[in-house]
């Protein structure tokens, strides 16, 4: 079943969710590990490259994911959550989407503003930023700040899923992981 049903997410939504999650996790791990190596170390450079590639993959995945989400309403939760819980869940999901869209664009922008080139597995991206190291520094700081927001929001998202599954015992998680109906 490709499309969502009233009880579960379809194959496309599931695939896009888990691929985005893996790419976000990879980007976060690569950038966190990068800081453990001194400047000029080839491992540090490799982790920086891997971080950029993972971020670009997030950007490539989040666009079809948003389009799919807009055209395929998520299945309902059973038992239905309170209106406040529904509001918090929607706010959290849309914040995650916004960050997955914004962070890669900011990453591209700060690299280009600092005079660098951005490529996805060797395929160069067009430059849209003027060479401005000062602007690049500001964009990098914003990218790092929002990256930390994404890290904590992702942790909260996973914790909420566990809370729903183990404490509330509703079908929030199984709609995404269980058999498709």
């Amino acid at each position: 079943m490709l499309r969502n049903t009233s009880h579960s997410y379809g194959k496309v939504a599931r695939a896009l969710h888990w691929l985005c999650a893996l790419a976000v996790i990879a980007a976060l791990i690569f950038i966190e590990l990068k800081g453990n190596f001194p400047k000029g170390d080839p491992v540090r450079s490799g982790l920086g490259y891997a971080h950029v590639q993972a971020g670009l993959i997030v950007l490539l995945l989040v666009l079809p994911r948003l389009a799919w989400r807009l055209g395929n309403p998520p299945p309902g939760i059973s038992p239905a959550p309170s209106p406040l819980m529904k509001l918090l869940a929607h706010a959290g999901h849309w914040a995650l989407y916004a960050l997955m869209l914004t962070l890669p664009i900011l990453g591209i922008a700060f690299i280009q503003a600092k005079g660098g080139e951005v490529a996805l597995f060797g395929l160069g991206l067009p430059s849209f930023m003027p060479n401005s190291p000062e602007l690049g520094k500001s964009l990098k700081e914003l990218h790092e700040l929002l990256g930390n927001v994404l890290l904590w929001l992702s942790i909260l998202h996973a914790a909420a899923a566990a809370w729903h599954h183990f404490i509330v015992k509703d079908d929030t998680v199984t709609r995404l992981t269980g058999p498709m109906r």
Side-chain angles (χ1 to χ4, degrees):
M1 180 140 346
L2 294 178
R3 299 182 66 80
N4 299 343
T5 69
S6 61
H7 300 289
S8 67
Y9 286 98
K11 289 181 181 179
V12 174
R14 289 177 187 220
L16 290 170
H17 174 273
W18 292 112
L19 288 170
C20 279
L22 287 172
V24 166
I25 291 166
L28 289 168
I29 288 172
F30 293 143
I31 203 62
E32 291 301 320
L33 289 175
K34 180 184 170 197
N36 294 324
F37 298 90
K39 288 186 179 182
D41 188 307
V43 174
R44 181 184 177 99
S45 298
L47 289 167
Y49 173 81
H51 171 74
V52 170
Q53 299 309 297
L56 292 172
I57 290 168
V58 169
L59 182 59
L60 287 176
L61 289 169
V62 76
L63 295 171
R65 185 169 178 199
L66 279 168
W68 190 261
R69 167 80 186 247
L70 292 171
N72 294 277
I77 298 171
S78 182
S82 70
L84 176 61
M85 294 306 286
K86 242 180 160 172
L87 177 68
L88 291 172
H90 285 298
H93 284 112
W94 287 106
L96 285 167
Y97 289 131
L99 289 166
M100 287 188 288
L101 187 60
T102 304
L103 277 162
I105 293 169
L106 278 173
I108 295 166
F110 92 70
I111 291 170
Q112 290 180 348
K114 291 174 114 182
E117 293 181 15
V118 180
L120 176 62
F121 300 115
L123 179 63
L125 291 149
S127 183
F128 63 90
M129 292 300 294
N131 190 346
S132 171
E134 193 172 298
L135 175 61
K137 183 176 186 245
S138 296
L139 292 172
K140 183 178 182 189
E141 288 172 1
L142 180 58
H143 177 79
E144 289 172 354
L145 172 71
L146 292 178
N148 286 324
V149 171
L150 177 61
L151 171 64
W152 287 106
L153 191 55
S154 297
I155 291 168
L156 182 62
H157 180 70
W163 179 75
H164 274 279
H165 190 70
F166 295 110
I167 306 299
V168 177
K169 298 188 186 298
D170 62 20
D171 66 351
T172 296
V173 173
T174 57
R175 296 174 313 146
L176 194 58
T177 62
M180 288 180 271
R181 306 189 264 162

